[in-house]
């Protein structure tokens, strides 16, 4: 059973930076997309940033220019560098890996890491 483990969350003041990291308990093959999502109470989980196997990246409009996603597919790790953090970035952040390693594909989620930005 593959497990994703996130780290790097915490409390930071507005304008500060954090780096989130996500790694898998075992290597995942045939990765298609590695991504970070976030969720606040009462709201749906939203995509923050994603990187495809070809290196193409996608960002939520509100984080463009502040967040950077990077990944090492061979090592099955994905990071999210967050700069100039704002109180509205406060959320639980989850990593997700989509792969074609089974007949119907797989989607692996981490357990989440809390990011709190104080004003």
């Amino acid at each position: 059973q593959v497990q994703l483990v996130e780290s790097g969350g915490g409390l930071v003041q507005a304008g500060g930076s954090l780096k989130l990291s996500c790694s898998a308990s075992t290597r995942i093959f045939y990765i298609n997309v590695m991504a970070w999502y976030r969720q606040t109470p009462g709201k749906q989980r939203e995509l923050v940033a994603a990187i495809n196997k070809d290196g193409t990246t996608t960002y939520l409009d509100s984080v463009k220019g502040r967040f950077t996603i990077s990944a090492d597919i061979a090592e099955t790790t994905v990071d999210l560098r967050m700069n100039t953090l704002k109180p509205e970035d406060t959320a639980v952040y989850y990593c997700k890996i989509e792969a074609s390693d089974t007949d119907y594909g797989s989607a692996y989620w981490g357990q989440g890491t809390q990011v709190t930005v104080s004003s």
Side-chain angles (χ1 to χ4, degrees):
Q1 185 77 9
V2 176
Q3 292 184 331
L4 301 185
V5 178
E6 299 110 334
S7 63
L11 173 64
V12 64
Q13 288 188 332
S17 299
L18 283 175
K19 181 182 177 181
L20 305 182
S21 296
C22 174
S23 62
S25 56
T26 60
R27 183 176 177 181
I28 299 173
F29 293 90
Y30 309 111
I31 291 175
N32 295 315
V33 181
M34 305 177 82
W36 285 93
Y37 286 72
R38 67 187 182 188
Q39 188 171 25
T40 54
K43 293 188 177 180
Q44 287 190 332
R45 194 169 295 187
E46 65 179 354
L47 175 65
V48 176
I51 183 166
N52 293 341
K53 59 183 178 181
D54 62 1
T56 302
T57 56
T58 302
Y59 293 95
L60 182 68
D61 283 347
S62 63
V63 308
K64 286 180 180 177
R66 300 188 297 122
F67 291 11
T68 302
I69 188 170
S70 60
D72 185 331
I73 289 181
E75 296 295 325
T76 316
T77 60
V78 56
D79 296 334
L80 184 68
R81 179 67 181 179
M82 306 184 293
N83 295 326
T84 318
L85 282 160
K86 304 176 180 180
E88 51 264 43
D89 294 319
T90 295
V92 178
Y93 284 71
Y94 300 88
C95 67
K96 179 185 180 184
I97 296 177
E98 299 176 6
S100 301
D101 57 346
T102 63
D103 289 343
Y104 301 100
S106 301
Y108 303 97
W109 287 94
Q111 82 288 350
T113 184
Q114 177 71 46
V115 172
T116 303
V117 185
S118 62
S119 58

